[in-house]
Amino acid sequence: MEMPPEVRLGLDIKRAEQSLMTAKSSAVRVADLTVAQYATLLALAQHPGISAAALARACLVTPQAMTAMLKTLQARGLIERSAHPWHQRVLETRLTEDGQRALTCADKEAVRIERRLADEFTAEEQDMLRALLARCVQAIERDH
């Protein structure tokens, strides 16, 4: 073995991500949402009218995955889609009132987790953690 498991960082990063996703999954379930649906509604709240392609980039998923997500959210009445006023082929996506209520409920729970996480670190440590994680991404993508 070229690199012993105890010095590999990937498992530690995965463990932290898995813990966060498990906690958030449980938290957003109160609004009958998945983490991916919550992330989509959150992005829509921040960018009303955003296109599906831009939304996919914002949520770090493929356009195909976002198309399926939007169909599900629309069928549940959480979003509405309409033609862009100038670009008729582009559909704008917005939260409905039910979508806003679901997001508000889920976000209240998700923020509790984010606060618990943030409270473990000083502001300086949070900045350092973000920088270190960005370096991880750069190192992984360098040879990709």
Side-chain angles (χ1 to χ4, degrees):
M1 200 177 307
E2 285 187 41
M3 186 176 203
E6 63 272 7
V7 299
R8 296 180 189 198
L9 296 174
L11 184 58
D12 295 309
I13 293 169
K14 179 64 177 174
R15 188 176 294 118
E17 183 217 11
Q18 195 71 36
S19 180
L20 177 61
M21 296 310 289
T22 298
K24 278 203 174 174
S25 180
S26 178
V28 301
R29 199 172 302 130
V30 301
D32 195 28
L33 296 173
T34 65
V35 173
Q37 290 168 341
Y38 163 72
T40 300
L41 295 180
L42 187 61
L44 281 171
Q46 295 168 334
H47 307 285
I50 191 172
S51 70
L55 191 56
R57 287 189 296 276
C59 293
L60 306 174
V61 299
T62 65
Q64 297 83 356
M66 184 52 68
T67 297
M69 173 78 64
L70 293 175
K71 285 180 183 179
T72 299
L73 294 172
Q74 189 171 20
R76 291 186 52 196
L78 301 179
I79 63 165
E80 56 191 10
R81 303 184 78 197
S82 58
H84 186 281
W86 303 307
H87 307 287
Q88 294 300 309
R89 288 187 176 171
V90 175
L91 290 177
E92 292 185 325
T93 307
R94 298 182 188 283
L95 294 177
T96 62
E97 286 184 23
D98 285 346
Q100 184 59 58
R101 276 192 291 276
L103 175 59
T104 299
C105 177
D107 196 50
K108 181 180 174 186
E109 298 303 315
V111 165
R112 279 194 240 194
I113 294 162
E114 292 288 348
R115 281 200 178 115
R116 270 196 334 251
L117 183 58
D119 288 348
E120 287 296 313
F121 302 96
T122 66
E124 185 178 279
E125 288 172 329
Q126 290 176 37
D127 290 343
M128 184 184 299
L129 179 58
R130 284 185 184 96
L132 291 171
L133 290 171
R135 282 177 49 198
C136 288
V137 170
Q138 289 170 353
I140 292 165
E141 292 178 351
R142 192 178 3 236
D143 293 331
H144 209 82

